[in-house]
């Protein structure tokens, strides 16, 4: 008999983790019954009765595993049937349900938890720190080591999408030996930078012209449109200007007053050092002019955003 | 009372259109009425339609006249968009309609109120119908200026130009039609720069008056970057709120009506797909309408602001023209005392640039911020 209970709930928005949880659950079941049959169902396209059909005892015996994806987008029929299933768990079948989060299907989730389903979390991995933990975890599982600055370099290169990051880790683990150093990462992913508008804006507001331009070029060649870059430049400058104009006060009270998060206040405060009102004003005006140009007012959107970035850097340097 | 009673301050236009109604030799199948916003283009177009349908050539009393004026005449079709542009599918419908004979009246009249909002493809779809008219179909297109419609439409229609009506004429109309006191009407007409609809609103709606006053008070409060950004944010929020307050209820009512028409259960948490797509289409339309409305509100505030700086310039040069903001003479005087003429011109330039940018789809908040920073840089009057 396997250790897996008949009901397994995988809850959380992170797809990579959820898929792994599904795979590991399946592997556990296959340890006991290598010939377990796997049926995959899709929440939004669920046909009434399918759950009962597949979880009913089979004439030929053997284990059936029903994997239901996107329970959160599931039809009302599906949710009803899940509730019914929780009240009466199947005898020789397993049901693995994947829920990406949100309130839909809450009744089904509660019923599952009450029926002592195994709950596996797949929390969102968003911040760089979480991603760093994810990378070190990947290497630890493979009984390998990676240097901290190598983790940083890897995140710089392919840190945007967790799936891509996981693939990169797998490749490094497969292709190299020993501790992965920063040079190894550079050899594999050197010259690749995943720049977002935010990073461009951060560099520009800090007055780091060469870095800002480099990131901008990477972002644009990575398929980012100039329009959102300009929008981000505007919003970052606006935050800095508003925080600078608001004067002293604790970040918490300012956050309430300006409708921003406290960490945004702190960051904007740090960025505001080295700016003054007049130069900030000119920088905002340059961004407004660029917004007009990238939206059809000028001939070359890329040049327009580049010029705005350079103007910001120049104003910052005084 | 003639159908032309509400077309104020446009004697030449009324004359020309009336002669076309009376004399078949002066009639043509496509007309293009141009004039600045608020000059009464669409009023003139409706009056023209009524005159065409009326057996007496525009008595203003008969059934034909009345239904044509209020837009319920079977042979008068009015296309007015609340969105940002008129799409090709609307234009195709009109082109098909133009091929039909009138049902009850003498003419099939098709009025396009915002011909300047025709997309290029929509305008192209109309060309054939404009060029090869059916015997009793008349097109009446309205646009702010000739340059706002594509040249191929221009060349297929007869052009009639409306001018800005005099303040006196607008005030009289407000007095006669809406029963507003003549003095109030005059102040409102002047402040609205002879825009009939705006003047009416200013004269009747306290909210509109106070919004205008607070807009005009903005330049005096600009002391630094923080003030400029706050002023821009205020203006932007104000526009959004006004747009939301005037569309919110209507949006909900439209959605409820649509669900009823489709026989859907309004309380259902999720609608079936075919209903969802209809609802999504409606919501998209509502969103463009809200966008347009909030842009219009911002533009109106910017025009008010522009007139304020213009008045200061007029005061400085002692020109013999009337002030737009005669009711705020003191504030205008303060501004004129505080800033040199070149600064005033710079400020007007900045406002003009902001209007141009918002028109070109620049984020309104950003455009307003850049403008307020310029206004703050040229200087503010002492308060």
């Amino acid at each position: 008999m396997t250790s897996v209970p008949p009901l397994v709930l995988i809850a959380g928005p992170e797809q990579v983790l959820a898929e792994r949880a599904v795979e590991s659950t399946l592997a556990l079941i296959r340890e006991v019954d290598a010939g377990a049959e796997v049926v995959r169902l899709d929440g939004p396209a669920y046909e009434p009765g399918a759950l009962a059909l597949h979880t009913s005892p089979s004439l030929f015996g053997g284990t059936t595993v029903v994997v239901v994806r996107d329970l959160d987008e599931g039809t009302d029929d599906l949710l009803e049937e899940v509730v019914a299933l929780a009240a009466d768990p199947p005898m020789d079948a397993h049901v693995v349900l994947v829920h990406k989060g949100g309130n839909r299907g809450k009744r089904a989730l509660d019923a599952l938890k009450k029926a002592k389903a195994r709950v596996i979390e797949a929390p969102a991995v968003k911040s760089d720190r979480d991603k760093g933990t994810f990378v070190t975890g990947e290497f630890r599982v493979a009984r390998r080591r990676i240097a901290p600055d190598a983790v940083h370099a890897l995140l710089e290169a392919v840190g945007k999408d967790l799936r891509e990051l996981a693939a990169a880790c797998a490749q490094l683990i497969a292709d190299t030996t020993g501790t992965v150093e920063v040079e190894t990462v550079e050899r594999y992913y050197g010259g690749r930078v995943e720049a977002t508008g935010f990073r461009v804006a951060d560099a520009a507001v800090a007055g780091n012209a060469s870095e800002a331009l480099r990131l901008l070029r990477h972002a644009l060649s990575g398929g980012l449109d100039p329009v959102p870059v300009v929008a981000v430049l505007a919003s970052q400058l606006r935050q800095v200007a508003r925080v600078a104009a608001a004067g002293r006060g604790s970040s918490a009270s300012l956050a309430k007053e300006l409708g921003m998060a406290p960490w945004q206040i702190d960051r904007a405060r740090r960025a505001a050092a080295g700016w003054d009102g007049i130069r900030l004003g000119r920088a905002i005006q340059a961004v407004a002019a660029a917004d007009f140009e990238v939206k059809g007012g000028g001939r070359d959107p890329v040049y327009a955003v580049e010029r705005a970035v350079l103007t910001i850097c120049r104003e910052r340097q005084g | 009372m003639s159908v032309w009673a509400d077309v104020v301050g446009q004697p030449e236009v009324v004359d020309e259109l009336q002669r076309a109604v009376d004399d078949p030799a002066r009639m043509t199948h496509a007309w293009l009425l141009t004039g600045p916003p608020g000059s009464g283009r669409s009023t003139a177009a409706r009056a023209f339609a009524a005159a065409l349908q009326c057996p007496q050539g525009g008595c203003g009393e008969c059934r034909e006249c009345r239904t044509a004026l209020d837009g319920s005449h079977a042979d008068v079709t009015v296309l007015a968009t609340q969105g940002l542009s008129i799409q090709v599918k609307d234009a195709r419908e009109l082109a098909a309609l133009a091929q039909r004979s009138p049902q009850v009246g003498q003419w099939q009249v098709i009025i396009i109120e915002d011909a300047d909002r025709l997309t290029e493809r929509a305008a192209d779809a109309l060309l054939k119908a404009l060029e090869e008219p059916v015997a009793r179909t008349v097109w009446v297109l309205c646009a702010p200026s000739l340059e706002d419609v594509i040249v191929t439409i221009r060349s297929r229609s007869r052009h009639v130009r409306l001018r800005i009506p005099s303040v006196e004429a607008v005030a009289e109309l407000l007095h006669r039609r809406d029963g507003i006191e003549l003095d109030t009407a005059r102040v409102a007409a002047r402040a609205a720069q002879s825009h009939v609809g705006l003047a009416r609103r200013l004269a009747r709606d306290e909210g509109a008056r106070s919004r205008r006053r607070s807009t005009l008070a903005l330049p005096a409060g600009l002391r630094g970057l923080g003030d400029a950004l706050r002023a821009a944010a205020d203006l932007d929020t104000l526009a959004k709120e006004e747009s939301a307050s005037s569309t919110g209820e209507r949006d909900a009512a439209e959605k409820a009506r649509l669900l009823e028409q489709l026989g859907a259960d309004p309380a259902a948490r999720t609608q079936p797909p075919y209903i969802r797509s209809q609802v999504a289409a409606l919501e998209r339309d509502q969103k463009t309408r809200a966008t347009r409305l909030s842009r219009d509100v911002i533009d109106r505030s910017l025009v008010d602001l522009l007139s304020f700086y213009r008045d200061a310039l007029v005061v400085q040069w002692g020109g013999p023209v009337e002030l737009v903001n005669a009711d705020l003479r003191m504030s205008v005087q303060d501004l004129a005392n505080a800033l040199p003429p070149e600064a005033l011109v710079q400020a007007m330039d900045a406002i003009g640039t902001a209007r141009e940018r918002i028109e070109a789809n620049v984020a309104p908040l950003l455009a307003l911020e850049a403008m307020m920073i310029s206004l703050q840089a040229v200087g503010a009057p002492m308060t």
Side-chain angles (χ1 to χ4, degrees):
Chain A
M1 198 57 199
T2 159
S3 60
V4 181
L7 297 172
V8 179
L9 171 65
I10 297 165
E14 195 54 68
Q15 289 296 294
V16 179
L17 298 182
E19 266 166 41
R20 286 192 181 174
V22 171
E23 289 309 319
S24 66
T25 309
L26 289 180
L28 277 179
I29 295 169
R30 283 187 180 126
E31 274 176 14
V32 179
D33 181 356
E37 184 193 0
V38 179
V39 180
R40 290 181 194 267
L41 299 177
D42 210 19
Y46 181 77
E47 285 177 15
L51 215 46
L53 176 75
H54 293 296
T55 52
S56 316
S58 158
L59 190 59
F60 308 104
T63 324
T64 313
V65 187
V66 184
V67 180
V68 184
R69 294 184 49 198
D70 298 339
L71 182 63
D72 49 304
E73 296 170 28
T75 58
D76 290 339
D77 287 325
L78 173 61
L79 297 174
E80 286 302 321
E81 283 176 35
V82 168
V83 173
L85 191 75
D88 179 21
M91 295 295 288
D92 47 3
H94 298 274
V95 182
V96 181
L97 301 123
V98 185
H99 191 277
K100 292 200 295 290
N103 265 331
R104 181 151 166 75
K106 190 161 183 323
R107 205 159 67 84
L109 293 191
D110 290 343
L112 286 171
K113 282 173 193 164
K114 209 169 144 221
K116 302 248 167 14
R118 174 178 293 177
V119 180
I120 306 176
E121 301 281 345
V125 179
K126 283 231 173 73
S127 71
D128 271 2
R129 188 191 300 172
D130 287 350
K131 284 179 186 166
T133 319
F134 175 79
V135 171
T136 28
E138 290 287 290
F139 280 84
R140 194 179 313 119
V141 169
R143 293 174 197 286
R144 295 281 300 280
R145 287 172 48 79
I146 178 165
D149 50 348
V151 174
H152 185 72
L154 194 59
L155 290 183
E156 287 279 280
V158 288
K160 206 151 69 183
D161 183 38
L162 197 67
R163 196 177 299 266
E164 210 170 338
L165 193 58
C169 290
Q171 184 177 31
L172 283 174
I173 290 167
D175 289 5
T176 61
T177 51
T179 304
V180 175
E181 298 290 345
V182 79
E183 292 79 29
T184 326
V185 175
E186 298 261 299
R187 189 161 68 238
Y188 278 81
Y189 298 101
R192 240 201 94 164
V193 177
E194 272 188 353
T196 60
F198 287 96
R199 294 185 57 198
V200 177
D202 284 345
V205 173
N208 193 343
S210 56
E211 176 74 0
L213 276 192
R214 188 177 73 86
L215 289 171
L216 177 66
R217 280 289 172 188
H218 275 296
L220 294 176
S221 62
L224 199 62
D225 196 71
V227 173
V229 178
V230 174
V232 171
L233 284 175
S235 83
Q236 300 293 84
L237 281 173
R238 181 177 304 135
Q239 286 185 352
V240 172
R242 285 172 67 196
V243 169
R248 292 162 195 285
S250 76
S251 348
S253 66
L254 268 187
K256 201 171 278 172
E257 190 185 321
L258 300 177
M260 289 159 58
W263 63 266
Q264 285 177 314
I265 303 269
D266 290 336
R267 205 191 47 184
R269 262 215 182 119
R270 276 195 301 277
W275 281 99
D276 66 37
I278 295 172
R279 288 185 285 127
L280 255 180
R282 282 201 295 257
I284 292 175
Q285 287 180 320
V287 175
D291 200 27
F292 176 65
E293 280 167 28
V294 297
K295 284 176 177 166
R299 279 170 179 243
D300 186 350
V302 173
Y303 171 63
V305 58
E306 228 170 62
R307 197 176 47 179
V309 165
L310 282 177
T311 311
I312 295 172
C313 294
R314 208 169 39 241
E315 293 293 351
R316 168 67 172 74
Q317 284 150 10
Chain B
M1 203 164 93
S2 141
V3 285
W4 304 106
D6 285 353
V7 185
V8 293
Q10 316 283 359
E12 299 87 352
V13 171
V14 171
D15 208 38
E16 182 173 357
L17 295 178
Q18 183 65 55
R19 268 183 304 177
V21 172
D22 295 338
D23 181 0
R26 287 175 186 272
M27 188 60 194
T28 185
H29 64 279
W31 297 78
L32 178 58
L33 305 185
T34 65
S39 57
R41 293 178 310 237
S42 55
T43 317
R46 280 166 198 256
F48 184 41
L52 284 172
Q53 304 291 10
C54 175
Q56 277 105 44
C59 64
E61 306 289 341
C62 68
R63 201 185 131 74
E64 306 282 323
C65 281
R66 276 184 288 117
T67 51
L69 283 178
D70 69 20
S72 57
H73 194 286
D75 290 322
V76 179
T77 309
V78 181
L79 177 66
T81 180
Q82 287 164 328
L84 293 166
S85 57
I86 299 177
Q87 301 301 325
V88 62
K89 91 177 174 329
D90 302 322
R92 287 204 180 112
E93 267 171 35
L94 284 188
L97 180 72
Q99 302 303 317
R100 294 194 206 140
S101 298
Q103 299 169 39
V104 290
Q106 314 183 34
W107 296 89
Q108 167 88 268
V109 186
I110 302 175
I111 300 173
I112 301 182
E113 279 195 0
D114 320 272
D116 53 315
R117 292 192 188 267
L118 283 166
T119 62
E120 204 157 310
R121 286 184 61 210
D124 288 345
L126 287 182
L127 286 180
K128 201 79 177 160
L130 272 178
E131 188 172 46
E132 293 173 356
V134 181
R136 287 191 293 157
T137 293
V138 184
W139 291 89
V140 186
L141 311 181
C142 308
S145 75
L146 270 187
E147 282 67 38
D148 288 318
V149 292
I150 61 172
V151 65
T152 36
I153 284 197
R154 239 183 285 165
S155 66
R156 283 162 173 78
S157 49
R158 187 181 300 170
H159 180 212
V160 178
R161 194 190 307 268
L162 282 81
R163 60 179 175 192
I164 299 177
S166 69
V167 168
E168 206 50 44
V170 174
E172 242 169 65
L173 173 73
L174 294 184
H175 179 59
R176 177 168 52 75
R177 192 182 61 186
D178 304 311
I180 294 162
E181 260 184 60
L182 210 48
D183 283 340
T184 322
R186 250 184 228 126
V187 173
R190 200 169 291 128
Q193 305 185 42
S194 292
H195 188 303
V196 179
L198 271 189
R200 177 155 171 264
R201 186 127 109 205
L202 271 183
R204 301 200 342 170
D205 178 5
E206 174 55 35
R209 275 199 294 273
S210 76
R211 266 197 299 280
R212 173 164 167 274
R213 271 197 302 276
S214 57
T215 305
L216 295 183
L218 284 177
L222 297 176
R223 291 275 167 270
L225 181 64
D227 294 334
L229 295 189
R230 206 166 306 125
D234 285 350
L235 211 52
D236 189 51
T237 326
L238 206 67
K240 283 207 186 100
E241 275 169 11
E242 191 172 336
S243 144
S245 74
S246 60
T247 55
E249 267 177 40
R250 195 160 51 153
D251 285 357
E254 277 175 0
K255 189 174 167 192
R257 202 169 57 232
L258 178 74
L259 289 179
E260 199 177 317
Q261 279 169 358
L262 294 170
D265 171 19
R269 220 167 25 169
T270 43
Q271 303 286 358
Y274 66 99
I275 289 176
R276 269 210 304 267
S277 69
Q278 299 252 5
V279 172
L282 177 74
E283 279 169 356
R284 220 167 27 240
D285 285 352
Q286 289 174 338
K287 194 156 165 252
T288 53
R289 185 169 71 192
T291 310
R292 164 162 175 205
L293 207 65
S294 85
R295 272 194 209 172
D296 286 356
V297 173
I298 291 178
D299 196 61
R300 214 153 61 211
S301 306
L302 293 187
V303 172
D304 285 342
L305 217 47
L306 196 58
S307 74
F308 194 55
Y309 282 93
R310 172 259 187 202
D311 278 355
L313 207 55
V314 169
V315 167
Q316 277 185 357
W317 292 75
V321 286
E322 288 238 32
L323 294 190
V324 172
N325 302 290
D327 53 331
L328 297 168
R329 189 173 283 276
M330 291 300 288
S331 321
V332 171
Q333 190 68 50
D334 286 345
L335 187 64
N337 291 342
L339 298 187
E342 58 269 26
L344 290 175
V345 173
Q346 266 173 30
M348 290 170 72
D349 245 6
I351 299 171
T353 311
R355 291 182 66 198
E356 219 171 276
R357 284 179 180 163
I358 292 174
E359 175 85 7
N361 233 349
V362 169
L365 180 59
L366 181 58
L368 289 175
E369 281 169 350
M371 178 193 85
M372 288 293 179
I373 292 167
S374 302
L375 293 188
Q376 183 246 323
V378 301
M382 292 296 138
T383 39

